[in-house]
Amino acid sequence: MLVSATPAPSPAFWRGKRVLLTGHSGFKGAWLALWLTELGAEVTGLSLAPVGIPNLFTLARVADDLQASHCADIRDAQAVASIVQQTRPQIVLHLAAQALVRKSYAEPLATWATNVQGTAHVLDALRGRADARVAVVVTTDKVYRNREWPWPYREDDALGGHDPYSASKAAAEIVAASYRSAFLAAQGLALATARAGNVIGGGDWAEDRLIPDAVRAWTAGQELVIRNPQATRPWQHVLEPLAAYLRLAERLWAQPELAGAYNFGPLPHEAATVEFVLKLASSAYPSSAISYQKSISQPHEACWLTLETAQARAALGVAPRWGLGEAVARTMAWYRAQAAGQDARTLCLADLRAFEETP
């Protein structure tokens, strides 16, 4: 079956729109902030300070083109409400989160406070705001009660989560649904949740993520140790879900009745194992050594996870532009070019142009 790719974001739509973007100092948030400003949106960021050195937010000079960049914690309800009041956003894209599974085991309470209470603070700040028309809350593909079954999860499957990260994101889905039903729909604000994950792309240096761990190890001339090579995930380039979030916001503006939950990712049969992704990555990176150690003691993580994306294709026209091979190749090329001295912002903008121009 032929599936048309996600339409490129519309500059005519985004130009001049007041957008509040939470989590703009993170990996996905930095890419999205760059894209929104290129589209002409008036973007205000709300996030913690960028974590780690290097980080994409700093290297790509993301703050340069923003209307404002607020360093604030979404666990602080008063700070969130004050920024919303100042910004008067028409569109809210909520990406701020504690987004690491293994960190959630070490810091479960902080994970729950950020992902659940923080989401409630953002949505509560929108109550009674006449300017606000659209909100997209980004959760994860891990919100489902994982049964390790061999078919993809649909939006109406049961929510759950073994680890604190997954469970807190499932809870954020419930928070969003409640705010939509109890408050926001009645005031004319269309609220949707976006379930996507396992993104790759240049500029991610987070701990305990596959490609960043590989780049760190191989750059240092070390062997990459992998704990679960057969884990299967719906991998995608970071620009795929970001394009989907922008498309969702555009459609919600015109058709608020589309508000709800959406899976975003590759076609279900295109999910791939960790081992296969690393095979692609190592072919594009010099001196890449890998060791598979299945017996390593580790916190529980789901082995099999795929998403059914038929609803996003049918209702929104969202489908991938880049296959896995292209996504991995471009990701590794980004890291190699940046390590060789090329400018991170220039590399990001070049990938954005290439993505928009892909038929």
Side-chain angles (χ1 to χ4, degrees), residues 63-147:
D64 286 1
D65 296 325
L66 302 181
Q67 294 292 304
S69 179
H70 296 280
C71 185
D73 193 327
I74 59 171
R75 292 175 293 183
D76 183 341
Q78 185 173 356
V80 172
S82 176
I83 292 167
V84 168
Q85 183 174 10
Q86 295 171 39
T87 304
R88 297 187 300 112
Q90 297 166 293
I91 298 173
V92 176
L93 302 171
H94 175 45
L95 275 66
Q98 192 302 94
L100 299 173
V101 171
R102 291 171 72 86
K103 185 176 180 180
S104 78
Y105 281 104
E107 301 177 8
L109 293 181
T111 299
W112 280 91
T114 300
N115 294 349
V116 184
Q117 198 65 46
T119 296
H121 290 161
V122 171
L123 296 179
D124 199 66
L126 298 176
R127 284 203 293 150
R129 306 300 309 184
D131 293 315
R133 291 272 304 273
V134 168
V136 175
V137 172
V138 174
T139 59
T140 176
D141 52 8
K142 299 175 180 64
V143 296
Y144 297 103
R145 184 184 303 164
N146 195 292
R147 304 176 188 273

Side-chain angles (χ1 to χ4, degrees), residues 1 30 46 82 93 109 122 164 173 227 243 271 309 357:
M1 178 181 64
L46 187 170
S82 176
L93 302 171
L109 293 181
V122 171
E173 287 276 352
R227 58 186 181 265
T309 55
E357 292 169 2

Side-chain angles (χ1 to χ4, degrees), residues 26-27 31 54-57 59 201-206 212 331 334-335 344 348:
F27 166 55
W31 274 97
N55 66 78
L56 184 61
F57 179 80
L59 288 179
D204 187 4
W205 283 283
T331 297
W334 194 104
Y335 282 110
C348 289

